[in-house]
Amino acid sequence: MRAFVFPGQGAQTIGMGKALADAYPAAKAVFEEVNESLGEDLSGLIWGGDIEELTLTANAQPALMATSMAVMRALEAEGVTIEAASFVAGHSLGEYSALAAAGAITLADTARLLRARGLAMQDAVPVGVGAMAAILGLDLAAVKQVAAEAAQAEVCQAANDNDPAQVVVSGHKAAVERAVEIAKAKGAKRALLLPVSAPFHCSLMQPAADAMARALADVKITDPKVPVVANVLAQAEADGAQIRGLLEQQITGAVRWRESVMYMAAQGVTDVYEIGAGKALSGMVKRIDRGLTTTAVGTPESVVAVAAAMNK
């Protein structure tokens, strides 16, 4: 069994998806449709802009989704459809890419939702008030204890359970800084603040969750062609009506990536394909379950190779 997984923020690079757009008209059409839906030349920024501007949350989110969808269109041109996967899943914003790939939300609506999501998440907390930190070498239970100890009447929560040795905390800056020191004292291999613009996936994001509830209310969400393993559930959901609420919860809820991968493996998944920019999820998947085979698909060459293997 196969799973297609879709990367989240941090995977963005200048030039991502350009070779695919040059090689596949259907991939180029993805970027053109995203440009049109947003009313701007996002592909120009992706392919020839400034990395700091691309990294802004409101740009990175639709840009990464567009790149993932360009890979999907290239795969389709080579005869591989989304139904080749038994499950799809995405890391944070990647869940929107997964839903678009599975046909639950149109490409144009997904781009507009992610622009709204990025702006809402950026605006939810003033710059400098919140922070996130990666804790390496402690498991989820230990990091939850660290966060609780560090909170001291502020917000500090486990936000991303990425793999057995990497959990990210999010919340008020001072609380997150305390968590870094407490984690080091408790034996973390490393604990470091992340270069992010807001404290994602914690209760400070409630204003963004409210904004997304309004944005999602205006969008048609249908049942996905392939079950989506939702971040907040760490299990599959195939009901479009339920997915709307899960996307709202995802803004303040933890990204349960480790459990999501374990769930897919328990259902019989053996091969995981990372669809889009970078290889970050492939590394996490291998650390979660070494028995899983991972393949990053983000270039024309990788598309051709994967299609040849699947079409045998």
Side-chain angles (χ1 to χ4, degrees):
M1 289 173 68
R2 306 183 189 104
F4 287 178
V5 301
F6 297 82
Q9 223 163 314
Q12 66 274 359
T13 56
I14 295 295
M16 64 183 183
K18 181 69 166 67
L20 283 163
D22 290 342
Y24 294 94
K28 184 179 181 184
V30 168
F31 290 102
E32 291 171 346
E33 186 174 345
V34 169
N35 287 348
E36 186 177 344
S37 67
L38 296 178
E40 65 184 62
D41 183 19
L42 184 65
S43 61
L45 172 61
I46 298 169
W47 297 336
D50 175 70
I51 186 62
E52 288 191 8
E53 187 180 352
L54 179 61
T55 298
L56 292 173
T57 301
N59 292 329
Q61 295 199 15
L64 285 161
M65 182 277 297
T67 303
S68 288
M69 287 303 294
V71 176
M72 282 305 309
R73 295 291 178 260
L75 284 168
E76 287 166 10
E78 297 288 354
V80 176
T81 67
I82 193 68
E83 287 89 351
S86 298
F87 297 98
V88 293
H91 192 283
S92 192
L93 87 89
E95 189 165 314
Y96 285 78
S97 306
L99 288 163
I105 311 175
T106 67
L107 176 61
D109 279 344
T110 307
R112 286 188 288 263
L113 281 171
L114 285 174
R115 169 55 55 81
R117 184 178 185 268
L119 290 170
M121 292 170 84
Q122 189 62 66
D123 293 344
V125 180
V127 173
V129 170
M132 299 180 78
I135 312 296
L136 281 64
L138 297 179
D139 65 14
L140 178 63
V143 173
K144 282 184 172 179
Q145 287 183 329
V146 167
E149 195 174 321
Q152 296 179 21
E154 291 186 310
V155 171
C156 188
Q157 296 170 231
N160 297 359
D161 180 16
N162 286 334
D163 62 47
Q166 185 193 105
V167 182
V168 174
V169 296
S170 182
H172 285 108
K173 189 168 188 285
V176 171
E177 288 171 342
R178 287 192 294 269
V180 166
E181 297 309 315
I182 293 167
K184 289 176 181 175
K186 288 183 180 288
K189 291 179 181 176
R190 289 180 72 196
L192 64 160
L193 290 171
L194 295 174
V196 296
S197 53
F200 305 133
H201 298 292
C202 76
S203 60
L204 293 178
M205 285 285 117
Q206 188 58 49
D210 296 340
M212 281 311 293
R214 293 189 292 273
L216 286 159
D218 296 330
V219 170
K220 183 179 181 181
I221 302 178
T222 59
D223 295 350
K225 295 174 185 175
V226 175
V228 178
V229 180
N231 284 184
V232 296
L233 291 181
Q235 63 185 42
E237 181 56 70
D239 183 340
Q242 294 297 320
I243 286 166
R244 192 184 308 273
L246 294 173
L247 290 174
E248 181 186 337
Q249 294 172 39
Q250 192 217 53
I251 300 284
T252 55
V255 177
R256 297 169 63 184
W257 187 252
R258 177 183 59 85
E259 292 173 274
S260 295
V261 173
M262 289 171 63
Y263 169 84
M264 290 187 285
Q267 304 309 305
V269 167
T270 54
D271 295 88
V272 177
Y273 294 84
E274 182 169 4
I275 309 294
K279 300 178 180 178
L281 295 185
S282 297
M284 291 180 198
V285 168
K286 292 299 285 187
R287 289 189 289 274
I288 294 164
D289 186 339
R290 290 179 183 172
L292 294 171
T293 300
T294 60
T295 306
V297 193
T299 63
E301 296 77 14
S302 59
V303 165
V304 169
V306 165
M310 287 190 190
N311 291 329
K312 277 181 180 176

